[in-house]
Amino acid sequence: MSSKGSSPTLARSGGLTSVEARALLERDGPNRVIPEARSRRLKRLLGPLADPMVALLLIAAPTYLALGETTDAIVALAALVPIAGVGWLLESRAERTLEQLRKMTAPTARALRNGVEQAVPTEELVVGDAVWLQEGDVVPADGQVVELTQLLVDEATLTGESLPVAKDPAAADPHERGVWAGTTVLSGRALVEITVTGAATRYGRIGALVAAVKQPPTPLQRGLATLVRSLAAVAVVFCAAAMAAELLHGDGWGHAVIAGVSLAIAAIPEEFSMVYTLYLALGAWRLAQHKALVRRLPSVETLGSTTVICTDKTGTLTHGRMDVAAVWTPSGGRPGAHEVASEPVGGDERALLEAAVLACEPDPFDPLDVAIVHYASEHGIDVAALHRAQLVTDWPFEQADKYLTHVWRMADGTCRVAAKGSLEGLLRHVADVDGHHASATAGNAGFAADGMRVIAVAGRDAGQPAVERATDEAGLQLLGLVAFSDPIRDGVAEALAECRAAGVRVIMVTGDHPATAHAVAEGLDLPHEADGADLIATGDDLDGADAAQLAHLVAHANVFARTRPEQKHLLVGALRAQGEVVAMTGDGINDAPALREADIGVAMGERGTTVAREAASLVLMDDNFATIVGAVRDGRRIFDNLTRAFAYLIAFHPPLLFGALVMPLLGEPLWLLPVHLVVLELLLHPVVSLVFQADPADDDVMRRPPRPVGDALRLRAMWRPYAVGGVLAVAIIAEYLVALAADWPVGQARALAFCTLLASQPFLLLCMRSPDRPLWRSGRPFTRTLWWVLALIVVVTIGVAQVGPVARLLQFQSFPLWGWAVVVGVAAAATLWAEPLKRGARPPARAKGLLSA
């Protein structure tokens, strides 16, 4: 059926001109349903200047100039370039990640411009544009239907209504004339005049409200902020003490400032935030390679503490498509195409499948029709030959009895009638032959109990098509039943088993019938019992539950059926109230509040709406549950490596901090100048940025429970790094003071102490990579990155003391050859003393050979 309305804008039938469209675009702005954040280029440009190291070097450089030490001033300024570059690198990586998300959406619509239908970027659509829509299109903006052919629109993502909505341009109700951004065309074709674009659409208004909700910081962010603030406060006190000591010794303000800056550079733990951000960015990049696009970097570390995953069934646990699972005929049944090898059929089954194909549209779009045609083709039915016949009469879907009928004129001139639909309705139009109605009803009940969707098929041969529908359908014979199921995705059962081993609970949330949900839970071995009986909760159970009943349901039920999108928000809130860290999946607009409420909102990349993706922390490119589990696994790996990097930083800082404080208090020359700290900074950043993040996951990463969120940084378990750092500080300070007492020149003593600090780094790295087992029994593989970093440290350690220009730049003098034995001995003794105390029972990481990627 075709229908037309009237439109002043489209009276010319040629749409807008390019000039008109350009003017409207400049006036109204781009058609962005979710407004893009305003440009932050200036903030990104100036952001690195907020790094405390940069600020301190900007203080040190003019101070050196005032003291007449031009070389040191130049070095301090030159060091700004690589240090600031880290900030720009992180920003650009984040921008590329977001750009990948933007590319996931369809970029064009078919609009009439200058009288010609052409592809126009959806962001360039304007009010007054004439846009063609057809089956499968996502409506790009709000509009009014001008003309259509049997247009059905799925508005579930906007309203939650599961039934499709028919549109009519002549209807009195504006809703029946309008189409709305973000909804999907299920069937038909329409010409639509755009009336509202961008954030002003219904879709955009919801998206703007969701975007306005501020995401709370993660436990690790809060713990990290507390740690940095505490250490920064200590640094301020120490800096004041160092400057006061220099002034009391009569060294003047210039040297006091240099002492204070040196101690501040050594003490302020800016590396923690840098390492945290960089690890999450690198983790996001890694996850993107495995079909999980991270939209908020903090969610990477939250993945590691996830305790509950609430997941949709359709499209996530299952493929999201209907396959023929079984057929029934009066002579018996057989499993579906996905359970047996494809083979030709004959007799009753052939008659059933031929009639089912003839009851489908010639070019099927409906999922059930597609499944029937595919199954029939796989079992020897020549679908193309059947559909080459002439469709004489297409009796529409009958709402009361829920069935439709097709009348075909075959190539030999005979006619065949085929009908399909609800068994209950179709039986009213079919004679009961040999008691088949009762056996068909029993077969239908059996399929339904297994969670399958069932249609009945009837048919007959006819002489000529009739004028009346009842005449065409007279004498129909029941040929059988076709049962459909949504097949479970490969790898999902294994992923669920991995979750159980990892202490992560999985809850299936679906809008399907409880029987369907039960069948899927059985197929996946998903626990769904409580107190020895099946426990399948429903949306009605949630609506009728008081606070105590709701708490019991979310604590014990792993399957929720017949749920509505807004009830996901209720589930998330109840689970979080019980202390769970919740990941929630969703794809519709109404899922957005639940995605925001969850600790990890997971949107579907293939079928998800823009609002859902904007609300989510994680977007699955393949809509696969196994991808979520893989992300949890990688989140745990990232957190393990991050805490090991933090342990390394904690052990690294005490020698810098106490070395910069003790010398002014004792009235001895500084052993660490700002230029030395710059070298350490440039060496430290790649070490912690590359080595730990490249380490593989531990063997037991998914065989231990989720980490608790109370002590996010595991600070109470980090006594060993504090102790190792303290002992190393005492050893290096003592070594420096002994060298001065032995009348070594200051340059030699500094070089000896500095080289000892550098030589200790390989030992620190190896010790912190194995927090639970001694170094010699760690079993952790040496990655290529680790080999390169160790080689770099050795080269730098030798170069700063032995390469003349570099030594002079750093104010070093070469020390006797036997001094290298002292360097290595002190470095090893001060770091390895704690290794015998490690008696952790956790197994080492899986070794993949000495060189692993």
Side-chain angles (χ1 to χ4, degrees):
M1 179 188 71
S2 297
S3 179
K4 294 187 178 182
S6 61
S7 169
T9 304
L10 297 177
R12 297 167 294 174
S13 74
L16 300 173
T17 66
S18 298
V19 174
E20 291 171 334
R22 191 179 305 112
L24 289 169
L25 185 63
E26 291 178 359
R27 184 193 73 182
D28 298 335
N31 176 41
R32 293 191 183 118
V33 176
I34 303 297
E36 190 177 33
R38 294 181 179 179
S39 175
R40 297 182 178 180
R41 292 180 181 177
L42 182 60
K43 182 178 179 180
R44 290 200 301 270
L45 183 65
L46 299 179
L49 297 181
D51 187 331
M53 170 67 83
V54 173
L56 292 169
L57 289 176
L58 289 175
I59 295 173
T63 304
Y64 274 127
L65 284 176
L67 294 174
E69 299 178 11
T70 307
T71 301
D72 288 337
I74 294 174
V75 170
L77 290 173
L80 292 173
V81 176
I83 291 173
V86 172
W88 284 306
L89 176 64
L90 294 178
E91 287 290 343
S92 63
R93 184 180 293 276
E95 285 297 314
R96 287 196 300 272
T97 302
L98 293 176
E99 182 63 25
Q100 186 176 2
L101 174 68
R102 288 191 285 268
K103 289 180 180 178
M104 290 174 56
T105 58
T108 61
R110 294 175 300 110
L112 287 175
R113 292 275 178 91
N114 304 314
V116 179
E117 184 177 320
Q118 55 186 271
V120 176
T122 54
E123 290 193 354
E124 296 181 12
L125 292 177
V126 296
V127 173
D129 257 327
V131 176
W132 280 107
L133 301 175
Q134 65 181 15
E135 291 178 356
D137 284 349
V138 176
V139 180
D142 290 356
Q144 292 292 309
V145 175
V146 178
E147 61 180 78
L148 56 77
T149 302
Q150 296 181 338
L151 185 68
L152 281 178
V153 181
D154 179 4
E155 297 183 349
T157 56
L158 189 64
T159 66
E161 174 57 53
S162 59
L163 295 176
V165 179
K167 299 298 180 179
D168 182 359
D173 186 352
H175 187 82
E176 293 184 20
R177 299 195 307 269
V179 291
W180 319 107
T183 59
T184 304
V185 178
L186 292 182
S187 64
R189 176 179 166 89
L191 181 65
V192 172
E193 179 183 359
I194 300 300
T195 56
V196 182
T197 62
T201 62
R202 293 186 180 187
Y203 193 68
R205 289 197 295 270
I206 297 175
L209 290 174
V210 174
V213 178
K214 187 175 180 180
Q215 197 79 355
T218 67
L220 183 56
Q221 283 178 310
R222 292 193 295 269
L224 183 60
T226 300
L227 174 65
V228 171
R229 283 195 300 267
S230 300
L231 294 180
V234 171
V236 170
V237 173
F238 277 31
C239 286
M243 293 181 66
E246 288 288 341
L247 291 173
L248 289 175
H249 288 113
D251 292 328
W253 278 101
H255 290 91
V257 169
I258 294 299
V261 167
S262 297
L263 197 147
I265 293 175
I268 294 178
E270 85 285 350
E271 300 95 347
F272 284 91
S273 298
M274 184 278 297
V275 169
Y276 171 78
T277 305
L278 186 57
Y279 270 45
L280 298 193
L282 293 172
W285 177 84
R286 181 186 177 100
L287 287 169
Q289 311 310 304
H290 295 89
K291 306 296 184 182
L293 180 62
V294 175
R295 295 198 64 256
R296 295 181 180 85
L297 289 183
S299 63
V300 175
E301 58 96 358
T302 309
L303 282 168
S305 59
T306 300
T307 60
V308 176
I309 301 175
C310 295
T311 176
D312 289 326
K313 174 189 75 68
T314 304
T316 307
L317 299 176
T318 64
H319 280 283
R321 69 169 190 267
M322 300 306 292
D323 282 355
V324 175
V327 296
W328 175 93
T329 65
S331 61
R334 66 185 279 131
H338 65 285
E339 295 184 15
V340 298
S342 300
E343 57 184 34
V345 295
D348 288 351
E349 290 185 35
R350 186 173 189 85
L352 167 65
L353 293 181
E354 287 185 351
V357 169
L358 290 174
C360 297
E361 297 298 324
D363 294 310
F365 176 79
D366 180 83
L368 298 186
D369 285 3
V370 172
I372 289 171
V373 168
H374 177 74
Y375 181 84
S377 298
E378 291 290 317
H379 288 80
I381 306 300
D382 191 345
V383 173
L386 289 174
H387 280 168
R388 277 197 297 270
Q390 180 186 0
L391 180 59
V392 179
T393 308
D394 182 358
W395 294 113
F397 186 78
E398 209 282 322
Q399 293 290 342
D401 288 336
K402 296 181 172 55
Y403 77 101
L404 58 81
T405 303
H406 287 169
V407 181
W408 294 82
R409 191 185 306 280
M410 310 310 291
D412 59 4
T414 62
C415 288
R416 294 178 66 176
V417 181
K420 66 178 173 67
S422 161
L423 175 64
E424 294 82 358
L426 203 55
L427 288 181
R428 299 188 185 100
H429 303 271
V430 175
D432 188 2
V433 179
D434 298 330
H436 289 160
H437 283 201
S439 56
T441 301
N444 182 67
F447 288 145
D450 289 336
M452 299 184 191
R453 184 172 178 179
V454 186
I455 64 168
V457 179
R460 75 177 182 91
D461 293 330
Q464 294 297 324
V467 177
E468 299 293 332
R469 179 170 187 164
T471 304
D472 275 336
E473 294 173 352
L476 282 174
Q477 295 182 359
L478 180 66
L479 299 177
L481 307 175
V482 181
F484 304 85
S485 69
D486 185 1
I488 294 171
R489 282 181 178 267
D490 294 338
V492 169
E494 293 80 2
L496 284 171
E498 190 173 12
C499 283
R500 286 193 292 272
V504 178
R505 179 183 169 202
V506 177
I507 298 177
M508 180 172 69
V509 185
T510 177
D512 282 338
H513 190 277
T516 304
H518 181 272
V520 173
E522 286 283 339
L524 290 172
D525 197 23
L526 178 65
H528 53 281
E529 294 183 351
D531 300 325
D534 278 349
L535 178 56
I536 308 291
T538 66
D540 290 340
D541 294 331
L542 292 174
D543 286 337
D546 58 25
Q549 292 169 331
L550 177 62
H552 180 269
L553 281 177
V554 299
H556 297 92
N558 291 330
V559 180
F560 289 83
R562 289 293 192 218
T563 55
R564 302 185 304 275
E566 60 269 24
Q567 290 174 326
K568 289 184 176 181
H569 186 272
L570 180 66
L571 280 174
V572 171
L575 286 166
R576 295 189 71 193
Q578 294 181 359
E580 306 287 1
V581 179
V582 182
M584 168 65 80
T585 69
D587 55 11
I589 290 179
N590 285 353
D591 291 331
L595 294 175
R596 278 287 189 186
E597 176 72 14
D599 298 279
I600 300 287
V602 183
M604 303 298 109
E606 292 182 347
R607 70 180 192 274
T609 61
T610 303
V611 169
R613 290 198 295 267
E614 289 290 333
S617 309
L618 193 71
V619 177
L620 302 185
M621 306 289 209
D622 57 359
D623 294 6
N624 193 338
F625 177 80
T627 303
I628 304 176
V629 179
V632 171
R633 185 189 311 111
D634 217 44
R636 292 188 174 192
R637 181 193 70 85
I638 291 167
F639 183 82
D640 284 346
N641 292 342
L642 189 60
T643 54
R644 290 162 188 171
F646 285 168
Y648 170 79
L649 289 173
I650 289 172
F652 179 85
H653 270 278
L656 310 185
L657 178 62
F658 290 105
L661 175 65
V662 170
M663 300 311 155
L665 294 179
L666 297 178
E668 298 291 347
L670 294 176
W671 81 275
L672 283 175
L673 301 175
V675 66
H676 304 145
L677 294 166
V678 167
V679 173
L680 292 173
E681 184 88 2
L682 295 178
L683 182 64
L684 175 68
H685 282 180
V687 166
V688 296
S689 301
L690 298 175
V691 171
F692 295 100
Q693 68 85 25
D695 279 346
D698 292 344
D699 249 359
D700 69 338
V701 71
M702 291 296 279
R703 294 200 304 271
R704 59 180 189 252
R707 62 179 175 83
V709 297
D711 184 19
L713 286 178
R714 296 178 179 170
L715 294 180
R716 289 189 295 270
M718 286 192 175
W719 66 267
R720 189 176 292 109
Y722 286 112
V724 169
V727 171
L728 181 61
V730 171
I732 293 177
I733 291 172
E735 180 186 50
Y736 178 67
L737 293 175
V738 168
L740 290 178
D743 294 328
W744 279 30
V746 172
Q748 277 190 340
R750 278 178 179 161
L752 183 72
F754 192 78
C755 288
T756 302
L757 179 61
L758 290 179
S760 69
Q761 301 313 297
F763 298 110
L764 283 180
L765 278 175
L766 298 177
C767 293
M768 300 311 160
R769 287 178 76 240
S770 178
D772 303 297
R773 298 172 68 91
L775 175 60
W776 46 88
R777 292 198 296 116
S778 71
R780 296 191 64 82
F782 274 44
T783 64
R784 290 187 179 89
T785 303
L786 178 59
W787 280 118
W788 280 107
V789 167
L790 292 178
L792 174 66
I793 293 174
V794 171
V795 170
V796 172
T797 302
I798 296 173
V800 295
Q802 300 298 326
V803 178
V806 175
R808 287 191 294 273
L809 184 67
L810 298 176
Q811 303 183 30
F812 288 161
Q813 296 176 3
S814 61
F815 47 81
L817 191 59
W818 57 264
W820 288 105
V822 175
V823 165
V824 175
V826 171
T831 53
L832 299 180
W833 63 269
E835 290 303 288
L837 302 179
K838 295 179 180 178
R839 294 189 179 90
R842 279 177 48 188
R846 178 171 56 257
K848 299 180 181 179
L850 193 58
L851 285 177
S852 63

